[in-house]
Amino acid sequence: MPVCFDIGGTNIRSGWPDQDGIVQIADQRATPGDSLEAFLVTLEAMVQGAPIAQQDFVAISITGFVNPKTGELTIANIPYLKNTNLTELLEARVKVPVVVANDADCLALAEAHAGVAKGESNVFAIILGTGVGGGLVLNGNLVTGFGGISGEWGHGPIVDPTAGGLVDHMGYFHCGCGQQGCLDTVGAARGMENVHRALSGTTLEAENILRDWRSGDSMAAKTVEACSEMVARTLSVFINTLGPGSVPVGGGLANAQDYIAKIDTKVRTMVLSHYNRPLVVQAQHVSNAGLVGAAFLRPRSTAGTR
Ligand SMILES: [Zn+2]
């Protein structure tokens, strides 16, 4: 049985599968701020503290990308882990195999094997959180991608700044990846705030924009209409390309089920296949998706595939 971790810039969470294979958060500690050594000591202590009889391996979901050839991490929010090989560093301490994967990839695994997409062979799991991310399971297998990048549909300079003619040209927003016009800059919480500022001249947090939309505010409605349109248009191309049986949504905006339903209704009019049921739906595992998905990872040195 694996000891599973979900590592973010703020917290490190751990847990292990129950009899149904679901991992709940059992231990949580603050992510050390500036020391790789303190970070490794924390992980080692959490592994040793896990009360399971047979620790077969350690499985980690992390907010970064793992190069499948070199094992090196690309990660922004935990600077001391940048370009490190976390697998090797931790294996030297815990003496069992370690496997590390991107958190959106773990969401895709969680939903494909034990969530709303169970039984579907193709699953495109999307994250609408602070930004836009995604992970991909095809024919039942996680797609790790060249250089560790796959499913990252939030990046690429493709967004129409009139949202298909719904609004006046709102300009482009700079993306963290260095480009302009990425869906990441208009598609999730931070993007909704960008769009609202451009259209209304006022600064509001995404949850307040959604609140105002629900209470009938016309300016918030314009923002929500534009954002959902831009998300749905981009998503339609990925749905036609990948043929997913389900598109589970994780991240903070997944909790706005009315907003997710709006994206779903729009996108199903834009794709070639006929889905006579909701396709874009709230993920079953939101707060513990990293842990649940990590349990389905397999280290290279044991049988099975990633
Ligand atoms: Zn970008």
Side-chain angles (χ1 to χ4, degrees):
M1 181 181 287
V3 183
C4 301
F5 284 89
D6 183 10
I7 298 176
T10 309
N11 292 306
I12 300 171
R13 293 164 167 158
S14 67
W16 39 90
D18 64 17
Q19 56 192 12
D20 300 317
I22 305 300
V23 187
Q24 303 294 347
I25 301 165
D27 192 2
Q28 175 171 316
R29 306 192 191 183
T31 307
D34 55 7
S35 163
L36 176 60
E37 176 64 20
F39 173 82
L40 293 171
V41 166
T42 301
L43 286 189
E44 191 178 356
M46 290 173 83
V47 171
Q48 287 168 351
I52 53 179
Q54 183 164 353
Q55 298 185 355
D56 297 311
F57 60 100
V58 173
I60 297 174
S61 163
I62 196 162
T63 56
F65 302 104
V66 187
N67 186 313
K69 281 189 176 163
T70 66
E72 283 192 358
L73 273 176
T74 302
I75 187 165
N77 59 355
I78 311 176
Y80 54 78
L81 286 180
K82 197 175 168 187
N83 299 329
T84 60
N85 187 321
L86 179 57
T87 304
E88 289 179 358
L89 288 171
L90 195 58
E91 278 179 347
R93 292 179 180 243
V94 299
K95 313 297 183 195
V96 294
V98 174
V99 57
V100 184
N102 171 257
D103 54 355
D105 290 351
C106 287
L107 171 69
L109 281 175
E111 295 303 316
H113 290 301
V116 291
K118 194 170 180 181
E120 300 290 349
S121 54
N122 293 349
V123 178
F124 183 39
I126 65 175
I127 292 184
L128 299 177
T130 308
V132 177
L136 188 57
V137 167
L138 288 182
N139 297 326
N141 294 315
L142 180 66
V143 178
T144 50
F146 183 83
I149 305 288
S150 62
E152 292 301 321
W153 67 303
H155 297 283
I158 60 161
V159 164
D160 170 6
T162 70
L166 287 175
V167 297
D168 292 336
H169 196 298
M170 67 180 102
Y172 292 100
F173 308 99
H174 285 286
C175 185
C177 76
Q179 302 184 92
Q180 297 187 83
C182 293
L183 186 68
D184 192 78
T185 66
V186 296
R190 188 180 47 221
M192 192 177 281
E193 292 157 14
N194 286 340
V195 170
H196 195 70
R197 199 180 314 110
L199 295 179
S200 73
T202 55
T203 300
L204 266 186
E205 289 189 11
E207 63 182 79
N208 293 331
I209 298 168
L210 290 166
R211 177 201 63 199
D212 290 357
W213 166 54
R214 292 179 185 119
S215 62
D217 179 79
S218 61
M219 197 60 247
K222 197 171 180 182
T223 298
V224 167
E225 202 62 44
C227 288
S228 55
E229 182 76 14
M230 291 185 283
V231 170
R233 284 180 175 231
T234 308
L235 187 55
S236 70
V237 180
F238 286 85
I239 290 169
N240 286 334
T241 306
L242 304 169
S246 176
V247 179
V249 187
L253 287 187
N255 296 314
Q257 297 218 36
D258 44 3
Y259 181 64
I260 301 305
K262 192 171 186 58
I263 294 169
D264 175 64
T265 303
K266 280 178 184 266
V267 81
R268 283 193 286 133
T269 69
M270 299 173 181
V271 295
L272 297 176
S273 271
H274 177 61
Y275 292 89
N276 59 1
R277 54 173 172 82
L279 170 66
V280 183
V281 295
Q282 184 188 38
Q284 185 174 328
H285 309 286
V286 177
S287 64
N288 60 336
L291 292 175
V292 176
F296 294 101
L297 296 169
R298 292 295 176 267
R300 283 164 186 264
S301 49
T302 63
T305 54
R306 289 173 66 176

